[in-house]
Structures are given as C-alpha cells and as structure tokens.
C-alpha cells in the first residue's frame, strides 16, 4: 500500500478536518532491518482475560462515562514528524507480529506523526488471554537523530497497522499490505485488481449536516491470528468519541480481493444528528458526464463513479456520482436492504490517462447480515476542486432515532472487489452523457438539456431483430421530448442508449429516473441521476 503524497494528504485531510472525508493511507512505512543488524524483538505486557463479550461490556461502560480522548505524545515533537519525517519511520518487518510464525498473516505497526497524532494501543490474543504489544522505538528505522527519538518513554506511540500477505510467501516483505487501519476509524483493503482506492469507516456521525462532523477513533485493537491462509484474521476494536463508544469484531479474509465480516455494537453518549452505519468514503472530481472546460488534462478523475443499490424489494439501481456546487444529501428509503456499494465501473485506461491507475480502483460493497429494518441509504456529495479531497460518503441511516443512551447492534460483510459480489442479470448502465438539447442544424433552445444514457447486457443482446427497448422515464420536474432508443454503433451486442431532452426552468436540482423494458419485461437496472441545471 505504498502510496504517494497525494494519497497521504487525502487521509490527513480527513483526520484533521471535519468537512473533508479523506480515505487514503500514508506511504508504506515498512522495511527490512539492515544486513548485519539484529532485529529487535517485540515486547509484551502482562496477560489479561479477553473476548468479544468483554469488549462489548467495556464499550457500554465507557459510553456511560464522560469522554476521554486518547493520549497524544508530546505535541511539540509530534508536529515535527511531517510527511517526510513520517516516511523515514519505516517499521522493521523482521519485528512484525507473526512474521516468523504463530499466525498466517504478519502485522506491522505505524508511528504517530503530524497527521496521526493520537496513540492506539495494540494487543495480541491467544487462548483467551490478551497481552499488549509494547511500543519500543527500535522497531522503527529512522536513525538515532530522528525527531521521534525525542519522545519520552510511553506505553504506545503506535497510530495504526498494516496486514501483510502470508508469511509463507518468501516475498511477503516486498509485497503491498492487503489491509490497513490508520487514522480515526478509517480502514481499507486491496481489491482483486491489486489496487487500493476508497475507504470504509467504523461509523459516520453527522456528514452533510449543519453541525461539524465528528470523527471517533479506534483507540485499541486486539488481534487473533489466522491459523492458515484460508482462515480469517480476527481484529477486535474499541471505538470511542465524544458522542459514541462501540465494540467491533472484524473477520478479515484474503480472497481474490478482501472480504470482511463485521459485527458492531454501538452505544451513544449523546444524540447524533445523522448516524451512519457501514459508511464508505471516496473521491469523485469529474467524469465524462460533466467536466468543466480545461480544468485538467485528464479525461476523468475519480476513485468511484457511482452508487449501486440492491433494494429490499429486489430493484437494482445505479446512481452516477456528482461533484455539486454545494453539499447535497440524497436519501433512498428502503426496508431490509440487500446491499449497496461505491463502485468503479469504468475500467478503461484511456478514459483516465493517469499513472495512479484509477481504472484499477476497487469497488466496495456492503452486504447486510440479518434484517436491518427500515432506514435510508444516504449519499452525501461534497464540492471539491481537486483529487486530494475525498468528497463522497455512502452509508445506511437507521429509522430509529439516534438519541443519547440508544444502542445499535448489527452485522454485515464488506466486499473489496472489482465489481458487485452479486451482479444482476439485467443490463447495466455504462455511461451518462449530457449535451445541449434540440436537433442538429436547428437553433438550440435555452433551458433544454439532452441526455444519453447507455446500457449494456445480455437481456438487450437477446432482443429479437427489429425490436427496440422502450425507455421508461420520470422526472421530479420539467418535461421530456425527443425520446427514443438506438443501438450504440460500436457493433457490441446488447449495447443500447436511451436519448431524451429535458426542458426545465430554474437552477434547482432535478431527480431523474430511467430504465429499459420490452412490454412487461424489465431489461435494465434503474438509472437515477441528480441533474443540476447550468
């Protein structure tokens, strides 16, 4: 997960600002011990009893007490550990937890610094007994003159951790980590295309509201080893913040991507304006749909290009993302949702032309376990003028009020893959394009916008010759004209587009809906779009 300064600053913005939602991690800070030097051994504290039930009890009790923020080592020293200084604090992989056995997947730790100033305690669990991993400066490279060496002795100066590929692989020290937890309650994983991109969070408190968003922290972790590569690595976590305390249990499985089974028990100290369950955060600057003239030389820049939803009633929905001029919050009511995710569907390099490989970014899909009841899938889109700011949040907001003293218990799976884990057989939306309305060779009327919505799939490919799919349209306001469908002239079977003009007055957003059918047969997923007249 060795990423450049741009990705480092994305997460730094999230951790340090309440209005930006960064997700990317710091550059990889792991390294081998220099030849001839002895690798320092990890030191551990005394053993104490531990299991997830005890952790849930701990979180409930903590929620009943006033909030105490996690310790911060000497701020005058920590603020000197900037991007460059943090990059020199590389963890010695010979000192990785389970690097020489005892668990299939080694774990290395990350140091506090200017952008990650809060300490996180680390523990290893074996046979129901937990022992703290004690911080020692010599497990980090950087030299005796590094500013971090000025920190006084303390239980922890860890800020997060990496999960590495299986130690039986002789090259595991050279391979990218496949999961990381670093900063507030952010975590992320590698998708099946070998890239990282968007992130998840333990919880989201108030994104897109009038009040500043709150970012609680994972303040302590407990690791239970994976006995073999096919078995899960278990990570238990304590979440704490001014308004909430919670217990988490992550079962991390390394598959063709990564699958996480997550159990969370949340307890509110204070009322929360908007409680976001299973939140995903990503970056969307611009795409082929709407791009300001000459804003950047690249055709598209985004980590995700749409929100996919599978409703409790079985409808498959695709909502392309926007970079709006003001914060926009869209709510999609549902009962017992089957899943949702922020996805990167456009996989063509020529559409990005960027060496950071946006075309390989993972899609992340939330699969509820059990009945989540009533609520809304909520999408928050925040204006951005650069790719360093993650400006998209998708989450589940329960219908139950998030009042002080309330508790929420839930389970879900989080799939980090190239696509949705349970794709529909319906044709999928593959493009949304806007242009001036009206007809070629005629004066273009004001207030009219032309839409071209592309769909592709087997159900369209199997239409009898001469049969055109029918577009079914709806708009929250305005009127349609010049409505028709046609096969996209690229000789790809089942590739069709719906074309229509929308006439609308004013600048308020317009909600649009479209799908294709043939008689009573639904042929495509449902395209939703929020159009901002301009």
């Amino acid at each position: 997960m060795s990423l450049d300064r741009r990705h480092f600053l994305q997460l730094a913005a999230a951790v340090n600002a309440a209005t930006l939602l960064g997700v990317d991690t710091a550059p990889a800070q792991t390294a081998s011990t220099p030849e001839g030097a002895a690798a320092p051994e990890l030191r551990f504290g005394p053993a104490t009893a531990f299991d997830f039930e005890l952790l849930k009890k701990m979180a409930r009790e903590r929620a009943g007490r006033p909030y105490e923020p996690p310790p911060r080592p000497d701020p005058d020293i920590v603020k000197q550990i900037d991007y460059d200084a943090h990059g020199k604090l590389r963890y010695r992989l010979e000192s990785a937890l389970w690097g020489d056995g005892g668990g299939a997947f080694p774990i290395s730790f990350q140091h506090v610094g200017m952008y990650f100033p809060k300490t996180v305690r680390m523990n290893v669990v074996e046979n129901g007994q937990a022992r703290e991993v004690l911080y020692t400066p010599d497990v980090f490279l950087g030299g005796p003159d590094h500013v971090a060496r000025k920190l006084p002795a303390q239980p922890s100066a860890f800020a997060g951790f990496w999960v590495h590929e299986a130690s039986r692989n002789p090259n595991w020290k050279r391979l990218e980590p496949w999961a990381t937890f670093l900063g507030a309650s952010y975590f992320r994983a590698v998708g099946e295309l070998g890239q990282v991109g968007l992130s998840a969070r333990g919880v989201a408190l108030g994104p897109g509201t009038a009040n500043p968003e709150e970012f609680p922290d994972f303040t302590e972790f407990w690791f239970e080893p994976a006995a073999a590569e096919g078995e899960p690595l278990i990570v238990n976590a304590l979440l704490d913040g001014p308004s909430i305390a919670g217990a988490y249990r992550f079962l991390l499985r390394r598959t063709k991507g990564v699958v996480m089974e997550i159990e969370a028990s949340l307890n509110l100290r204070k009322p929360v304006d908007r409680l976001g369950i299973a939140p995903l955060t990503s970056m969307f600057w611009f795409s082929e749909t709407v791009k300001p003239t000459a804003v950047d030389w690249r055709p598209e820049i985004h980590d995700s290009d749409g929100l996919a939803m599978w409703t409790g009633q079985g409808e498959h929905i695709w909502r392309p993302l926007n970079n709006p001029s003001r914060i926009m919050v869209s709510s999609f009511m549902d009962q017992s949702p089957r899943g949702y995710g922020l996805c990167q569907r456009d996989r063509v390099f020529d559409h990005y032309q960027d060496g950071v490989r946006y075309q390989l970014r993972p899609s992340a899909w939330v699969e509820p376990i059990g009945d989540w009841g009533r609520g809304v899938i909520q999408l928050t889109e925040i204006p951005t003028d650069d790719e360093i700011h993650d400006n998209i949040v998708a989450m589940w907001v329960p219908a139950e009020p998030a009042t002080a003293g309330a508790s929420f218990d839930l389970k879900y799976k989080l799939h980090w893959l190239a696509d949705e884990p349970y794709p529909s057989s319906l044709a999928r939306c593959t493009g949304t394009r806007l242009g001036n309305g009206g007809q070629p060779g005629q004066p273009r009327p004001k207030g009219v916008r032309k839409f071209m919505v592309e769909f592709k799939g087997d159900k369209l490919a199997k239409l009898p010759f001469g049969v055109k799919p029918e577009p079914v349209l709806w708009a929250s306001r305005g009127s349609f004209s010049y409505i028709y469908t046609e096969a996209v002239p690229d000789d790809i079977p089942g590739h069709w587009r719906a074309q229509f003009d929308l006439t609308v007055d004013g600048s308020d957003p317009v909600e649009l809906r479209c799908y294709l059918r043939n008689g009573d047969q639904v042929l495509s997923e449902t395209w939703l779009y929020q159009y901002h007249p301009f």
Side-chain angles (χ1 to χ4, degrees):
M1 228 164 281
S2 53
L3 304 174
D4 57 21
R5 181 185 294 268
R6 181 184 75 83
H7 297 108
F8 183 90
L9 293 177
Q10 277 187 306
L11 182 54
V15 174
N16 292 288
T19 58
L20 298 179
L21 304 169
V23 300
D24 286 54
T25 60
Q29 298 176 22
T30 52
S32 297
T33 300
E35 188 175 352
E41 294 185 358
L42 288 176
R43 296 192 299 112
F44 300 92
T48 59
F50 178 84
D51 61 27
F52 188 55
E53 291 302 317
L54 288 173
L55 181 57
K56 290 195 290 185
K57 180 181 178 183
M58 183 190 306
R60 287 193 299 268
E61 292 175 347
R62 185 163 295 210
R65 302 194 299 267
Y67 171 66
E68 296 182 10
R72 295 183 181 227
D74 191 324
D76 292 333
I77 297 175
V78 170
K79 70 182 181 182
Q80 298 177 55
I81 308 176
D82 58 11
Y83 173 84
D84 293 324
H86 201 259
K88 295 175 182 177
L89 285 173
R90 292 171 294 163
Y91 191 86
R92 300 176 188 263
L93 288 183
E94 286 79 6
S95 300
L97 178 64
W98 302 317
D100 56 357
F105 302 107
I107 292 176
S108 63
F109 303 107
Q110 300 302 297
H111 203 283
V112 296
M114 175 189 292
Y115 299 109
F116 312 102
K118 301 175 186 177
T119 61
V120 180
R121 301 179 81 106
M122 308 292 182
N123 303 270
V124 59
V125 180
E126 295 179 352
N127 300 319
Q129 296 291 308
R131 300 172 66 199
E132 183 173 4
V133 180
L134 301 178
Y135 166 74
T136 54
D138 57 356
V139 296
F140 291 92
L141 297 174
D145 297 329
H146 195 284
V147 64
R149 303 295 186 242
K150 298 178 182 179
L151 288 173
Q154 55 200 315
S156 176
F158 298 133
F161 66 91
W162 288 169
V163 181
H164 295 266
E165 298 290 356
S167 58
R168 74 169 184 85
N169 186 326
N171 296 317
W172 72 267
K173 295 176 184 177
R174 298 185 181 93
L175 298 174
E176 297 288 347
W178 58 268
T180 182
F181 288 66
L182 179 64
S185 68
Y186 285 87
F187 58 97
R188 55 189 267 158
V190 171
E192 64 185 284
L193 300 180
Q195 259 278 16
V196 293
L198 77 167
S199 286
R201 285 191 274 171
V203 70
L205 303 180
T209 63
N211 297 319
E213 183 174 355
E214 181 180 323
F215 293 87
D217 300 285
F218 284 137
T219 61
E220 192 163 1
F221 292 102
W222 292 260
F223 306 108
E224 301 178 42
E229 290 179 49
E231 298 298 317
L233 167 67
I234 299 176
V235 178
N236 303 277
L238 177 65
L239 179 85
D240 204 8
S243 301
I244 195 169
Y248 286 75
R249 186 170 178 83
F250 297 85
L251 275 65
L252 309 184
R253 289 183 169 87
R254 185 69 167 110
T255 61
K256 61 182 180 180
V258 174
V259 177
M260 302 176 174
E261 186 171 331
I262 302 170
E263 180 177 356
S265 179
L266 305 175
N267 311 278
L268 295 180
R269 282 191 178 92
K270 300 178 181 179
V272 174
D273 289 343
R274 186 174 294 157
L275 174 64
I277 301 295
L280 305 172
T281 67
S282 193
M283 180 275 291
F284 180 87
W285 187 8
F286 60 84
S287 71
E288 63 196 9
T289 302
V290 179
K291 176 184 176 181
T293 303
V295 68
D296 192 89
W297 64 269
R298 294 163 291 183
E300 302 184 46
I301 301 177
H302 48 76
D303 284 336
S304 306
D305 52 11
L307 169 64
M309 294 172 278
W310 187 12
T311 71
Q313 294 188 342
E315 184 178 18
H316 289 266
I317 296 172
W318 177 251
R319 165 55 157 83
L321 297 176
N322 279 321
N323 179 8
S325 60
R326 63 185 187 275
I327 295 176
M328 300 298 300
V329 178
S330 301
S331 296
F332 308 94
M333 297 182 64
D334 204 358
Q335 173 89 31
S336 307
R338 302 185 189 185
Y340 63 91
L342 289 175
C343 300
Q344 185 80 312
R345 282 192 174 176
D346 193 333
R347 297 295 184 188
V348 180
F349 168 77
D350 286 345
H351 294 181
Y352 303 96
Q353 292 288 328
D354 197 303
V356 301
R357 301 183 296 176
Y358 283 117
Q359 77 278 9
L360 301 180
R361 296 293 201 241
S363 297
W365 180 265
V366 175
E367 176 190 355
I369 298 176
D371 187 350
W372 279 14
R374 292 187 305 109
V376 297
I377 298 171
Q378 197 161 85
L379 174 67
T380 301
E381 297 164 303
I382 300 172
T384 185
D385 59 0
D386 204 328
E387 63 196 292
I388 68 168
H389 304 310
D390 276 23
N391 59 321
I392 302 297
V393 183
M395 61 191 189
W396 174 254
V397 180
E400 295 88 345
T403 56
S407 296
F408 296 84
D409 293 279
L410 67 147
K411 295 181 181 180
Y412 60 99
K413 286 185 179 180
L414 189 51
H415 303 260
W416 305 83
L417 301 170
D419 195 3
E420 301 171 28
Y422 312 109
S424 166
S425 62
L426 297 171
R428 305 177 108 192
C429 180
T430 58
T432 302
R433 308 177 195 279
L434 277 63
N436 290 327
Q439 297 303 300
Q442 302 293 326
R444 297 303 175 104
K446 293 183 179 180
V448 181
R449 185 65 61 193
K450 186 177 297 295
F451 287 81
M452 303 284 281
V453 184
E454 296 183 12
F455 296 92
K456 186 168 62 176
D458 287 344
K459 288 188 179 293
L460 292 174
K462 293 177 181 178
L463 285 174
F465 180 78
V467 174
K468 287 187 175 183
E470 174 193 357
V472 180
L473 300 173
W474 175 88
S476 59
R477 63 189 187 89
S479 59
F480 296 112
S481 59
Y482 298 113
I483 304 169
Y484 69 92
T485 59
E486 65 178 358
V488 178
D490 58 3
D491 297 325
I492 296 177
H495 193 186
W496 286 76
R497 60 191 177 201
Q499 179 178 155
F500 57 89
D501 282 6
L502 174 72
T503 301
V504 65
D505 295 325
S507 59
D508 290 340
V510 182
E511 301 294 341
L512 296 171
R513 180 182 179 94
C514 175
Y515 67 92
L516 301 182
R517 71 182 179 190
N518 180 27
D520 294 333
Q521 182 187 15
V522 175
L523 301 175
S524 75
E525 65 184 2
T526 301
W527 170 85
L528 300 183
Y529 188 68
Q530 186 178 81
Y531 168 55
H532 295 255
F534 55 92

